[in-house]
Amino acid sequence: MKVFRLDELDGERAANEGAYLQFLRERNMSAGLYALDAGSTDPQQPHRQDEIYFVITGRGSITVGTETTTVARGSVVYVPAGVPHKFHHISEDLRVMVVFSPPES
């Protein structure tokens, strides 16, 4: 069993001065913590993997392809591989768990 604590992951991510921290990598999937502060810009490019975003804290919007929706704590968003997507209009610091399948390369 592997157990992770959000506060520890966020601390490690911040110590590495990055917006993303991969904390799990297995044969068929990987998972990470993505952080975007209020008012920041999401620099993502489309990925080769399917993704699931689970919003842990914060508030903003996400556009996936041509569809836009607001997200907040508890939101879950699926993004198919290769589809452009970005968080925007971030009004409260976002902390998002990201699951990639297959693992992010």
Side-chain angles (χ1 to χ4, degrees), residues 42 44 47 49-56 60-65 67-81 83-87 94 96-100:
D42 183 2
Q44 291 193 80
H47 306 284
Q49 305 83 1
D50 288 339
E51 293 177 83
I52 293 176
Y53 290 110
F54 173 70
V55 178
I56 300 164
S61 296
I62 187 171
T63 298
V64 177
E67 297 180 86
T68 299
T69 191
T70 58
V71 293
R73 182 174 59 101
S75 296
V76 178
V77 178
Y78 167 69
V79 179
V83 175
H85 58 285
K86 294 220 184 285
F87 289 97
L94 281 173
V96 182
M97 186 174 71
V98 185
V99 177
F100 289 98

Side-chain angles (χ1 to χ4, degrees), residues 10 13-14 17-20 33-43 57-61 87-96:
D10 202 31
R13 180 205 53 79
E17 299 181 1
Y20 182 74
L33 177 65
Y34 191 39
L36 292 165
D37 293 335
S40 67
T41 302
D42 183 2
T57 62
R59 183 175 300 280
S61 296
F87 289 97
H88 53 92
H89 295 97
I90 302 166
S91 58
E92 296 175 17
D93 294 353
L94 281 173
R95 297 299 180 266
V96 182

